[in-house]
Amino acid sequence: MMLSNQMFEINKPSNFSSAPTSSLLKKFIYDFNDPNIPVFSPIGTAIFNNIENVFRTVTSKYGIDEIRIPMIMGTELLRRGQPLGELFERKLMSLSGNMSHYHLMTTPETLFLNMASKDNLPASRLPINYYFISDFCRDMPDPKHILRTKQFRVFAGVSLDKSAEDRIKTEKHLLDMLHDTFSCLGVPFHTEPGSSGFTCEYFYMLSKENENYIIPSIDPKKKTKALSFAMIYDYGKECDTSQFTCIDPITGSKNKMFITSYAISTQRVLYNIMDYYRDSKGFGLPEHLRPCDVVLISGPQDIDTLVEIKKNLNKSGIKSYIDNCFNKPHAKRLETADYIGSGHKAIVKNGKINIIDRNGTPCVMHTDISTGVSTLKQAKLLQKAK
């Protein structure tokens, strides 16, 4: 990626130390195409992809399979499940014209139950665990940066079980999986026993932002600044799911299916990560989450050399960006590399390379390019060995 060839210009703002994290992410991680729909920059997309890679790695470890789901669902099918309160009704993104019987995806539990019932699913196949990563849409009247928008990214899933006892086992399995996921992301969280069907809800504690919740275990009478970013939900707790059944393979009788759903708001996790790893220089994300490992810097006369270095590094799995913003002072370009969380800065001039880590520690100084690139590769291998 060439940093100058982007619609999203990256500059560390002068009020960085006092600005709320959400304001810093705009025009850097994302921008609004209109006041409600976020468009993510190449850097924002890279971090998003890294987060989703963690989701995929952990769920694979727990034996949960990935599927894809549609973006629309029949409204009547939605009404067969959880009763829709007035507040939720207002949030449905209903379609019109020939699509008037559909809405943009909001909650998909009845979709899975309906599919299982249609196929007369044998109880011997349960439990079934799926996860998906998808965009959800809701008619939010007051969008607020990436924490509340009309379209938002979600990592979610469902588990179908044949008994209440099995559902409890699944719940424990999912709790372990979510905790493992947050540990891999480095996300600090507060766990809250749920109410109104929620088995468990996860919060990130805020200092400056404007989300406020009653969190009973912290203070049942006072609102706490916190960000709700994940949950596990007992779907059958507040609705009649007897219409969704599985077949006993021995007796042929129909038995009620039990469903547990879970979801993580990826955009809120993205905010959480950027806020938690924010430091005096910018956003010091860990290696598996950061958008790039090294920013390559030179004058215009060495741009072809940088392109070749980038190709060489890419082959070794080292993520690199080229800072070709030649109109910016050298110090400003170094600052930008630190701001976006690059692990290293590589300055190329007259066939020599200097490599400095994000802490300002020199790694390679006035070395020929081939040796410098080899040093970066070796550092990557040592990091993987750890």
Side-chain angles (χ1 to χ4, degrees), residues 235-268:
Y235 185 76
K237 199 169 184 177
E238 291 195 339
C239 64
D240 178 17
T241 56
S242 59
Q243 58 192 311
F244 303 110
T245 58
C246 57
I247 307 297
D248 187 305
I250 298 175
T251 65
S253 61
K254 292 186 176 183
N255 299 320
K256 172 183 174 182
M257 273 189 292
F258 293 79
I259 183 168
T260 303
S261 65
Y262 53 96
I264 302 173
S265 172
T266 313
Q267 286 174 204
R268 292 187 169 209

Side-chain angles (χ1 to χ4, degrees), residues 85-117:
E86 182 183 350
L87 178 62
F88 195 82
E89 285 268 18
R90 292 203 307 266
K91 290 181 179 179
L92 288 181
M93 298 286 283
S94 298
L95 304 178
S96 60
N98 293 334
M99 301 293 287
S100 60
H101 299 299
Y102 294 88
H103 69 276
L104 293 176
M105 181 57 72
T106 52
T107 58
E109 289 88 354
T110 49
L111 175 72
F112 296 101
L113 285 166
N114 194 55
M115 289 172 62
S117 295

